[in-house]
Amino acid sequence: MKVLKKIGELVQEADWTKEKHIPVIECADAVKANENFEVKVSIGKEIAHPNTTEHHISWISLYFYPEGEKFPYQIGRYEFNAHGASVQGPNTSSVYTHHAITTWFKTSKPGTIIAVSLCNIHGLWQFSKEIKLS
Ligand SMILES: [Fe+2]
């Protein structure tokens, strides 16, 4: 069976200082082996992304790809489910989930952290950050 389109071909990348969709990863450049460290991922760090019923970030998925391994591991999946919708209609609930997360994980190997996010109307976006062991 022929694969018509690979998902990776549809994931967009850009300079986060100029593009509002990038899930920017913030954490230490070097971490201690086997010790939990904090990772923050946020969208709209430089240019705010809308958060309305019609236009919002739906989720972030976070992965770690250890150096020398064949596959990445999923660290977490974070859903943003409130975007103003209520029984009165769009943008009437006053409740909006902000599209930013903080989590922790540990690793015994250096590697690459990869964040992928979905805007409900502008598609998939990714950002990656290399971490070393200190
Ligand atoms: Fe968008």
Side-chain angles (χ1 to χ4, degrees):
M1 191 179 88
K2 187 180 175 205
V3 176
L4 297 176
K5 201 75 174 168
K6 290 185 178 178
I7 191 73
E9 296 172 31
L10 303 174
V11 180
Q12 304 161 87
E13 285 181 291
D15 178 354
W16 66 269
T17 62
K18 298 185 176 88
E19 169 53 58
K20 64 178 178 276
H21 288 95
I22 308 303
V24 177
I25 298 165
E26 292 174 271
C27 66
D29 295 332
V31 301
K32 290 191 173 130
N34 302 311
E35 279 192 25
N36 282 313
F37 63 98
E38 188 178 82
V39 180
K40 294 179 181 179
V41 185
S42 62
I43 289 142
K45 186 172 160 58
E46 186 70 28
I47 307 163
H49 186 278
N51 189 359
T52 65
T53 305
E54 299 84 0
H55 185 193
H56 55 261
I57 302 301
S58 300
W59 50 257
I60 294 172
S61 234
L62 193 63
Y63 303 89
F64 183 61
Y65 181 48
E67 212 172 275
E69 292 208 19
K70 191 170 181 184
F71 302 113
Y73 295 91
Q74 188 172 34
I75 301 302
R77 164 90 176 189
Y78 312 92
E79 301 278 344
F80 309 121
N81 293 326
H83 301 287
S86 83
V87 72
Q88 279 82 38
N91 303 303
T92 57
S93 76
S94 81
V95 180
Y96 298 83
T97 315
H98 185 58
H99 36 251
I101 63 107
T102 301
T103 191
W104 293 262
F105 78 96
K106 62 184 178 181
T107 175
S108 63
K109 294 180 179 176
T112 306
I113 301 174
I114 302 161
V116 180
S117 60
L118 179 71
C119 167
N120 70 320
I121 59 176
H122 296 119
L124 294 161
W125 296 83
Q126 83 163 55
F127 184 88
S128 53
K129 177 178 167 65
E130 205 174 50
I131 56 161
K132 299 185 180 316
L133 296 183
S134 59

